[in-house]
Amino acid sequence: MLSLQMTAMKAANKELKGMMKTVRIEDIDSMQDEMMDLMDVSNEIQETLGRSYNVPDDIDEEELMGELDALEADMDFESNSVPSYLQPDKETDLDSELNLPAAPSGHAAVLANRQQEDELGLPTVPHASIRT
């Protein structure tokens, strides 16, 4: 039985030596540094969330509920009425007062003496001015 224990311990020792050759201490140190940085960030977040904003300890919940009910009533009143910027204008139509003409519709009339255009929409050059 002692020889079985010795054999198991030798096998375990050999296996551990093989595993320790693949382990790099620098990787472990780097991982621990990253974990410490994460813990520091976590602690900063916890400190920020745990700040006291001088809120008194003796808050009257009934008073707070009353304020909340009043705010909800105000919101209901506002939602039932139409805001002033959405109401129709009460001013007279300025266009009719100024007697402006109606805006043109459709395409403009084509001028009779308009130059012809090439495929790019540029005016064509008269044949008389082309040098050969």
Side-chain angles (χ1 to χ4, degrees):
M1 181 161 220
L2 187 60
S3 68
L4 285 175
Q5 286 179 342
M6 287 298 291
T7 307
M9 287 179 15
K10 285 180 183 180
N13 189 19
K14 181 179 178 184
E15 192 68 32
L16 281 173
K17 283 183 181 179
M19 289 177 69
M20 293 306 276
K21 288 180 182 177
T22 61
V23 173
R24 292 182 26 199
I25 299 298
E26 296 86 25
D27 292 342
I28 294 172
D29 286 339
S30 174
M31 188 183 317
Q32 283 190 334
D33 289 342
E34 288 177 17
M35 291 296 290
M36 289 302 295
D37 291 342
L38 289 173
M39 290 297 294
D40 289 340
V41 170
S42 175
N43 288 337
E44 287 178 24
I45 291 171
Q46 291 298 323
E47 287 174 13
T48 302
L49 291 175
R51 282 186 194 155
S52 173
Y53 293 100
N54 294 329
V55 177
D57 292 334
D58 57 339
I59 296 175
D60 185 13
E61 289 191 28
E62 292 298 321
E63 183 181 336
L64 287 177
M65 289 306 291
E67 288 181 26
L68 181 61
D69 291 339
L71 287 173
E72 286 176 348
D74 285 346
M75 289 177 66
D76 287 340
F77 174 74
E78 288 178 4
S79 66
N80 292 336
S81 65
V82 177
S84 62
Y85 60 88
L86 293 177
Q87 294 177 356
D89 289 334
K90 295 179 182 171
E91 298 177 12
T92 58
D93 189 15
L94 294 178
D95 289 340
S96 65
E97 287 181 11
L98 296 175
N99 295 325
L100 297 174
S105 62
H107 297 289
V110 178
L111 299 175
N113 61 355
R114 184 174 165 182
Q115 288 183 331
Q116 292 186 355
E117 296 176 347
D118 63 4
E119 66 274 359
L120 298 175
L122 300 172
T124 57
V125 178
H127 289 301
S129 57
I130 298 177
R131 296 183 188 163
T132 55

